Amino acid sequence: MKLDELDTPAALVDVTRMNRNIARMQSRMNALGVRFRPHVKTTKCLEVVRAQLAAGADGITVSTLKEAEAFFAAGVTDILYAVSIVRSKLPRAMALRQQGCDLKLVVDNALAAAEVAKFCAAQRETFEVWIEVDTDGHRSGISPEQDGLLEVGRILHEGGIKLGGVMTHAGSSYDLHTPDALSALAERERSGCVRAAQRLRDAGLPCDAVSIGSTPTALAAGKLDGVSEVRAGVYVFFDLVMHNIGICSTDDIALSVLATVIGHQPEKDWVILDAGWMAMSRDRGTSKQTRDFGYGLPCTLDGTPLSDWILSSANQEHGILSPVHGTRGKSLASRFPIGTKLRILPNHACATGAQFPEYHALSADGETTVWSRFHGW
Amino acid sequence: MKLDELDTPAALVDVTRMNRNIARMQSRMNALGVRFRPHVKTTKCLEVVRAQLAAGADGITVSTLKEAEAFFAAGVTDILYAVSIVRSKLPRAMALRQQGCDLKLVVDNALAAAEVAKFCAAQRETFEVWIEVDTDGHRSGISPEQDGLLEVGRILHEGGIKLGGVMTHAGSSYDLHTPDALSALAERERSGCVRAAQRLRDAGLPCDAVSIGSTPTALAAGKLDGVSEVRAGVYVFFDLVMHNIGICSTDDIALSVLATVIGHQPEKDWVILDAGWMAMSRDRGTSKQTRDFGYGLPCTLDGTPLSDWILSSANQEHGILSPVHGTRGKSLASRFPIGTKLRILPNHACATGAQFPEYHALSADGETTVWSRFHGW
């Protein structure tokens, strides 16, 4: 189908842009001499992941066991489940392992490590486990210098678990917007994770993998000495948050929401669209950045940004487009007649994509193909 | 399955609370002498809608054609599609109509009205169409006193369309939090919609239905003279936004997200859960209300609120629980050991439910049943 034949709202993937984003990240990782393990939580879509693997990615990162199950069923075996495991999730993880999935788990505390070891002993099986390291204080993980790091390492190793490595995610990179700050955080992420690996090795513990990454730090890193692999997710589509961080232009953003004008309120300078928060998601990630795009930046059907307009407000199935400066009054309806189709660039591609059961992949020839995606856990 | 056997995160529906909420709204509408047409966009779940119809609801309201198709396939015929129609959506709507669905469309502008009439003439079929009225300036609709109201009515009526009525939604009720303000808005919603109907009738146009509603105004209305039916959606589950508006207690909130403690950061007073924004949604509807619950209010497994704690921050699959006042330090891990399960009350039930492919319906006996829900358009 052509773009103007699609029902709206619809999630569009510009395949040309996506492939360019994939090539950019992969060539950067190749130049830095590290493996690249894309985080598939952004898309949960087999066609996208196949394109990432075809470009040179080594294995994938997942945020849920459902992702691990879906991509293993599709033939991907090297999978890092990058959320700290708990006892109740071990049987489901073990089922994957027993089917031949090279599933790697993550822990950041002694209790979880002991439970993995105890579970494996009872099952007469083992897991490969990586330790999560906290390099920027934004979420989970053990700081590189904490005693707990070696304690967790020993519990795993002495409990018969394969201690496969360390991993960290400098998610605070989303709060930055200058090249210098991003480079500094990238170096902090690298050096912290390498230091954690060194401490484990110095204590006689194995630690092959040193895995780091977030999209902004991956693109800001100048050298990656001691790092074995990098992970990143949102780079594949980019979004307005990434634009504000300064690592992509609006022309790189591969995901947009196709919407139709369904009404006007000329006294308020409002154009009403059929893309509300159910389509865009409630993510307001640009609200604290240097430029607030509301719920999204509208573009014409051919992808040209209408930089004087934003999706300023959203109800469940209604989006309100309004001018950033000044008023348009009665000219609204002639500028955006009822039935006009627009493409809205999202704040956060991971959140917007999750609102849709499928993407419509738009090729350079203007044809679209359905790429299904899944949700849930 | 029992609650503690469910994989997390999971969307739980407390069936006892849900049935109480349904009975409360229906008995109120019965007492006010109006029909009740629940908005199914909140749940998109057949079991919930069956309970609403069994309690006395007359027909349903939908926000997407997919909802109309799904509930018509399940036997519901009286359906109001409450988003202004555009030309591109008419064939799909007509397909429902031709299968016997009593689908009512909505318009709020002359162009859409003319296009419906033109489409119907070409198809030698008709639609029932209602005119959307704007009674509080928060979104779409024609103001009761505007000339456009009669113009749209005439285009429909003279174009061979069945002009079935008027409808309005006082969505600005979500910004209020006092009984007086809610009562005043409920009366404004009622009187504005009744006035629009009267103007149409005075002009010789038919206007049987006078349909109003939002959950807060429906529960605040003291009389509904001239109104034929009320619509409301979120009342079936309620949520923290509705709690802050003052129309329910936390004990009425029927939807929660079951989550597991997966880590701690004692220096920061953080308990890490496996329910992030992918589970809770990005809805921060309480952020501008009198009490900000972050991403949600935690409760114990039996549903008792832990009022000193909120889900203060969320990443995609990580939620951060932290104390509202003071610090807990090392006692965090003994208060919330790894593996502890909690139930998180959401800001906005419509947004949180949409993150899940299914609800787990929790009966009074502690057993859970899967109720599937759909998403997409």
Side-chain angles (χ1 to χ4, degrees):
Chain A
M1 283 211 286
K2 297 285 186 185
L3 210 50
D4 56 7
E5 295 169 319
L6 294 177
D7 283 350
T8 58
L12 291 183
V13 173
D14 183 317
V15 178
T16 308
R17 291 181 180 188
M18 179 190 88
N19 285 332
R20 199 170 67 208
N21 297 340
I22 290 172
R24 175 183 169 196
M25 181 66 83
Q26 188 65 50
S27 68
R28 189 166 179 88
M29 294 303 110
N30 293 346
L32 288 165
V34 292
R35 291 193 301 272
F36 181 59
R37 182 188 292 279
H39 205 318
V40 303
K41 75 183 178 74
T42 301
T43 67
K44 307 197 186 196
C45 172
L46 188 56
E47 286 84 351
V48 177
V49 173
R50 281 195 180 128
Q52 291 169 308
L53 293 169
D58 256 337
I60 63 172
T61 314
V62 300
S63 69
T64 63
L65 286 171
K66 187 164 186 173
E67 291 161 51
E69 290 161 351
F71 289 106
F72 176 65
V76 182
T77 54
D78 180 358
I79 300 177
L80 172 67
Y81 173 37
V83 179
S84 198
I85 194 79
V86 283
R87 171 68 185 81
S88 56
K89 295 184 184 183
L90 286 170
R92 201 168 153 192
M94 183 59 84
L96 273 170
R97 185 94 177 164
Q98 289 173 335
Q99 291 166 59
C101 179
D102 180 15
L103 180 70
K104 297 154 182 81
L105 304 181
V106 164
V107 299
D108 78 345
N109 63 83
L111 184 64
E115 284 185 332
V116 175
K118 186 177 160 194
F119 179 83
C120 285
Q123 299 275 314
R124 297 171 183 276
E125 279 275 4
T126 189
F127 271 116
E128 178 170 342
V129 177
W130 296 9
I131 301 176
E132 183 167 7
V133 176
D134 179 14
T135 51
D136 69 345
H138 90 287
R139 192 169 75 193
S140 298
I142 309 173
S143 294
E145 304 296 342
Q146 269 183 330
D147 295 341
L149 178 71
L150 300 185
E151 181 193 1
V152 169
R154 286 196 190 99
I155 292 169
L156 293 169
H157 186 61
E158 291 163 13
I161 300 299
K162 180 178 176 187
L163 175 52
V166 287
M167 58 82 73
T168 193
H169 166 58
S172 65
S173 58
Y174 281 45
D175 302 330
L176 307 178
H177 63 274
T178 65
D180 286 353
L182 288 167
S183 298
L185 183 61
E187 173 53 18
R188 183 173 162 191
E189 182 185 42
R190 182 203 71 81
S191 62
C193 206
V194 168
R195 169 68 182 151
Q198 195 57 49
R199 283 192 68 216
L200 289 166
R201 293 170 190 149
D202 288 349
L205 294 165
C207 184
D208 279 351
V210 179
S211 174
I212 68 169
S214 75
T215 288
T217 53
L219 292 172
K223 63 181 175 70
L224 290 177
D225 298 352
V227 169
S228 62
E229 67 168 40
V230 169
R231 308 178 323 280
V234 77
Y235 79 96
V236 70
F237 287 165
F238 286 122
D239 53 31
L240 294 169
V241 165
M242 292 295 133
H243 164 270
N244 280 346
I245 290 171
I247 56 167
C248 72
S249 73
T250 54
D251 289 346
D252 296 321
I253 300 176
L255 180 68
S256 62
V257 173
L258 185 69
T260 303
V261 173
I262 63 168
H264 306 96
Q265 296 288 18
E267 307 75 24
K268 303 192 190 77
D269 276 320
W270 288 354
V271 180
I272 315 287
L273 303 182
D274 66 352
W277 60 253
M278 187 61 84
M280 301 308 302
S281 91
R282 271 292 195 197
D283 199 297
R284 288 283 290 104
T286 58
S287 65
K288 290 177 182 168
Q289 292 186 306
T290 48
R291 182 163 175 199
D292 184 352
F293 287 99
Y295 284 90
L297 174 65
C299 303
T300 58
L301 206 53
D302 71 0
T304 307
L306 301 169
S307 301
D308 290 340
W309 299 80
I310 61 168
L311 200 63
S312 56
S313 176
N315 290 181
Q316 185 159 336
E317 297 291 347
H318 297 76
I320 297 179
L321 194 69
S322 59
V324 178
H325 310 290
T327 58
R328 303 295 187 280
K330 298 230 175 253
S331 69
L332 273 188
S334 51
R335 173 81 190 271
F336 298 106
I338 303 280
T340 302
K341 289 190 175 172
L342 298 169
R343 290 164 68 172
I344 317 294
L345 301 180
N347 285 322
H348 189 174
C350 307
T352 301
Q355 303 298 105
F356 291 85
E358 74 270 311
Y359 299 113
H360 294 272
L362 175 66
S363 308
D365 64 4
E367 287 293 325
T368 64
T369 311
V370 171
W371 287 356
S372 74
R373 56 162 292 148
F374 57 90
H375 77 156
W377 285 268
Chain B
M1 285 212 284
K2 296 285 185 185
L3 211 50
D4 57 6
E5 296 169 319
L6 295 177
D7 282 350
T8 58
L12 290 183
V13 172
D14 183 316
V15 178
T16 308
R17 291 181 180 188
M18 178 190 89
N19 285 333
R20 199 169 68 209
N21 297 340
I22 290 172
R24 175 182 169 197
M25 181 65 83
Q26 188 65 51
S27 68
R28 189 167 178 87
M29 295 303 111
N30 294 347
L32 288 165
V34 292
R35 291 195 301 273
F36 180 58
R37 183 189 290 279
H39 206 318
V40 303
K41 76 183 179 73
T42 301
T43 67
K44 307 197 187 197
C45 172
L46 188 56
E47 286 84 351
V48 176
V49 173
R50 282 196 180 126
Q52 291 169 309
L53 293 169
D58 257 338
I60 62 172
T61 314
V62 300
S63 69
T64 63
L65 286 171
K66 187 166 186 171
E67 290 161 50
E69 290 161 351
F71 288 106
F72 176 65
V76 182
T77 54
D78 180 359
I79 300 177
L80 173 67
Y81 173 38
V83 179
S84 197
I85 195 77
V86 282
R87 171 68 186 80
S88 55
K89 295 182 185 183
L90 287 170
R92 202 169 151 191
M94 183 58 85
L96 273 170
R97 185 94 178 162
Q98 289 173 335
Q99 291 166 59
C101 179
D102 180 16
L103 180 70
K104 297 153 181 79
L105 304 181
V106 164
V107 299
D108 78 344
N109 63 83
L111 184 64
E115 283 185 335
V116 175
K118 186 176 160 195
F119 179 83
C120 286
Q123 300 275 314
R124 297 170 184 276
E125 279 275 6
T126 189
F127 272 115
E128 178 171 343
V129 177
W130 295 10
I131 301 176
E132 183 168 6
V133 176
D134 178 14
T135 50
D136 69 345
H138 90 286
R139 192 170 76 192
S140 298
I142 309 174
S143 293
E145 304 296 345
Q146 269 185 329
D147 296 340
L149 179 71
L150 300 185
E151 182 193 0
V152 170
R154 285 196 191 99
I155 291 169
L156 293 169
H157 185 61
E158 292 163 14
I161 300 298
K162 181 179 175 186
L163 175 52
V166 287
M167 59 81 74
T168 193
H169 166 58
S172 65
S173 59
Y174 281 45
D175 302 330
L176 307 178
H177 64 273
T178 65
D180 286 352
L182 288 168
S183 298
L185 183 61
E187 173 54 19
R188 182 172 161 191
E189 183 184 43
R190 181 202 72 80
S191 62
C193 205
V194 168
R195 168 69 182 149
Q198 196 55 51
R199 285 192 68 215
L200 289 167
R201 292 170 190 149
D202 288 349
L205 294 165
C207 184
D208 279 351
V210 179
S211 174
I212 68 169
S214 73
T215 288
T217 53
L219 293 172
K223 63 179 175 69
L224 290 177
D225 298 352
V227 169
S228 62
E229 67 167 41
V230 169
R231 308 179 322 280
V234 77
Y235 80 96
V236 70
F237 286 165
F238 285 123
D239 52 32
L240 294 168
V241 165
M242 292 295 132
H243 165 272
N244 279 346
I245 291 170
I247 56 168
C248 72
S249 74
T250 54
D251 290 346
D252 296 321
I253 300 176
L255 180 67
S256 62
V257 173
L258 186 68
T260 303
V261 173
I262 62 168
H264 305 96
Q265 296 287 18
E267 306 75 25
K268 302 190 191 78
D269 277 319
W270 288 354
V271 180
I272 315 286
L273 304 182
D274 66 352
W277 61 253
M278 187 61 85
M280 301 308 302
S281 90
R282 270 293 194 196
D283 199 295
R284 287 284 290 103
T286 58
S287 65
K288 290 177 182 167
Q289 292 187 305
T290 48
R291 183 164 173 198
D292 184 353
F293 287 98
Y295 283 90
L297 174 65
C299 303
T300 58
L301 206 53
D302 71 359
T304 308
L306 301 170
S307 300
D308 291 341
W309 299 80
I310 60 169
L311 201 63
S312 56
S313 176
N315 291 180
Q316 185 159 336
E317 296 293 346
H318 296 77
I320 296 179
L321 195 69
S322 59
V324 179
H325 311 289
T327 59
R328 303 295 187 278
K330 297 226 176 260
S331 70
L332 273 188
S334 52
R335 172 82 191 268
F336 298 106
I338 304 280
T340 302
K341 288 188 176 174
L342 298 169
R343 289 164 69 172
I344 318 294
L345 301 179
N347 285 323
H348 189 174
C350 308
T352 301
Q355 303 299 107
F356 291 85
E358 74 271 310
Y359 299 114
H360 295 271
L362 174 66
S363 308
D365 64 3
E367 288 293 325
T368 64
T369 310
V370 172
W371 288 355
S372 73
R373 55 161 293 148
F374 57 90
H375 77 156
W377 284 268

